[in-house]
Amino acid sequence: MADSVAVHRAVAAPARRRHIGRTLTAYAFVGPALLVLCAFILYPAFYSLALSFYEWNGFTPEWGDFVGLNNYRELVRDPVFWKVALNSILFVVVRTPIEVTIAFMLALLLNQNIPGRSFLRTMFFVPVVMSLIVVTLIFQRILEPNAGFLNTFLRNVGLGAFAHPWLADTTTALPAVIFVSIWKNIGFSLVILLAGLQGLPQEVLEAARCDGANRRQLTLQVVTPLMKPIIGIATVLSVIGGLKVFDLVYIMTRGGPTYSTEVFATMLYRHAFDLNEMGIASALAVIMVLVIMGTSQLQTFLLRER
């Protein structure tokens, strides 16, 4: 018995040493990335969570008084917060279906062997790589109420009655910003969906053609169901992008007029750097993260293949 135990230990010891060696090697490879994750994501996240329970102006070396959930209560009691929540929801609900639908239709078109296909793919992707400052300056000129291209065009074709201060009116400012956001980001969804189309199993498509499926049936009954996971990815990314949009709104309208285009990120910036209310800004950041995580999980659950 003692001999068998000794033999077992003699065999198990090298295996255990190899297992420990492989584990240490794995941690050595993962370690640098883990340090970066902790330094730039986890630490700021927990720092912001802790700060949301304090009142701090951002200038004193030490945080101010511990106020518990008062920062969250102030946000919930602020009518601007609910206006901002509605704007953020509208931004996502309007932008995402339009962006993903148009991108999918363009991907179907550009996946065909049509003349100028490479040129069109490049042109649709150009707005994605353009500087956001350039994009917003271009559309500010286009939508300018007096000498803007859009109003000038409407007046020249006899439709001057439709000329409008698009970014200065509370009813048209948010739709105008959403339109610019769709124009800027549609190429990103297009690339994802086009890559998905090119990765579809060709034997399935050929089998459908051999069975007599026309182009409409092939698109609706074969391609679209196969593309469901890729469409889901494009949708989730578009929703996350819509919920955390900041730069486009801030540069074009700064959240105005009268909070009509204010979204979570611009409200957070206003509280943090204009009003010096770091506690409330941190509470808003926590709410924003929870909303994005909850929405992403819900979408992943709904789009999951059963």
Side-chain angles (χ1 to χ4, degrees):
M1 182 66 180
D3 292 341
S4 63
V5 172
V7 171
H8 176 73
R9 288 178 177 174
V11 173
R16 188 166 56 251
R17 284 196 293 272
R18 285 196 298 272
H19 175 71
I20 293 173
R22 285 196 294 268
T23 303
L24 291 176
T25 303
Y27 277 115
F29 279 106
V30 174
L34 194 59
L35 287 176
V36 172
L37 178 71
C38 292
F40 294 101
I41 296 180
L42 295 181
Y43 174 72
F46 283 107
Y47 185 91
S48 183
L49 176 63
L51 185 56
S52 69
F53 300 115
Y54 286 83
E55 184 178 353
W56 187 44
N57 59 16
F59 294 104
T60 57
E62 301 294 333
W63 290 356
D65 298 332
F66 178 79
V67 294
L69 295 175
N70 278 353
N71 289 329
Y72 294 92
R73 292 194 191 97
E74 281 193 38
L75 278 176
V76 173
R77 291 169 183 166
D78 187 355
V80 175
F81 171 78
W82 297 108
K83 173 68 176 173
V84 166
L86 179 61
N87 287 343
S88 297
I89 292 171
L90 285 175
F91 202 98
V92 171
V93 169
V94 175
R95 186 185 96 148
T96 298
I98 296 175
E99 179 183 317
V100 175
T101 302
I102 295 177
F104 186 50
M105 294 171 66
L106 289 173
L108 290 171
L109 175 66
L110 297 179
N111 196 40
Q112 307 296 319
N113 189 20
I114 61 173
R117 182 176 62 172
S118 299
F119 173 76
L120 291 174
R121 288 178 177 178
T122 303
M123 290 304 295
F124 281 116
F125 192 70
V126 165
V128 178
V129 297
M130 284 179 67
S131 167
L132 190 65
I133 299 291
V134 174
V135 171
T136 52
L137 289 177
I138 289 173
F139 276 94
Q140 279 180 334
R141 294 292 181 88
I142 292 175
L143 300 174
E144 202 273 333
N146 297 317
F149 172 78
L150 180 56
N151 283 346
T152 302
F153 172 77
L154 291 173
R155 293 187 188 102
N156 289 339
V157 297
L159 298 174
F162 294 98
H164 201 76
W166 305 98
L167 294 177
D169 191 316
T170 55
T171 59
T172 56
L174 185 61
V177 173
I178 293 174
F179 171 81
V180 178
S181 177
I182 293 173
W183 183 86
K184 175 79 170 65
N185 294 289
I186 202 166
F188 182 70
S189 297
L190 171 62
V191 169
I192 295 174
L193 295 169
L194 192 56
L197 285 174
Q198 293 178 348
L200 293 180
Q202 294 301 313
E203 60 273 15
V204 176
L205 303 180
E206 288 299 326
R209 291 190 187 97
C210 291
D211 288 341
N214 55 34
R215 179 169 296 182
R216 178 176 172 275
Q217 292 171 328
L218 190 67
T219 301
L220 295 179
Q221 299 177 16
V222 179
V223 173
T224 302
L226 289 174
M227 284 290 293
K228 185 179 174 183
I230 310 301
I231 294 173
I233 292 172
T235 303
V236 170
L237 292 176
S238 178
V239 169
I240 293 174
L243 286 174
K244 66 183 184 67
V245 64
F246 167 72
D247 38 15
L248 179 68
V249 176
Y250 186 76
I251 297 171
M252 287 195 75
T253 63
R254 294 183 180 268
T258 60
Y259 306 113
S260 61
T261 59
E262 187 97 297
V263 290
F264 280 132
T266 54
M267 185 180 184
L268 188 156
Y269 181 89
R270 182 164 54 83
H271 277 283
F273 301 107
D274 291 343
L275 303 177
N276 299 321
E277 297 173 341
M278 292 295 176
I280 293 181
S282 298
L284 188 56
V286 173
I287 294 174
M288 190 175 162
V289 170
L290 292 177
V291 170
I292 291 175
M293 290 177 64
T295 306
S296 302
Q297 289 299 317
L298 178 62
Q299 278 194 305
T300 304
F301 174 76
L302 293 176
L303 295 171
R304 185 180 301 161
E305 283 189 335
R306 299 179 183 278

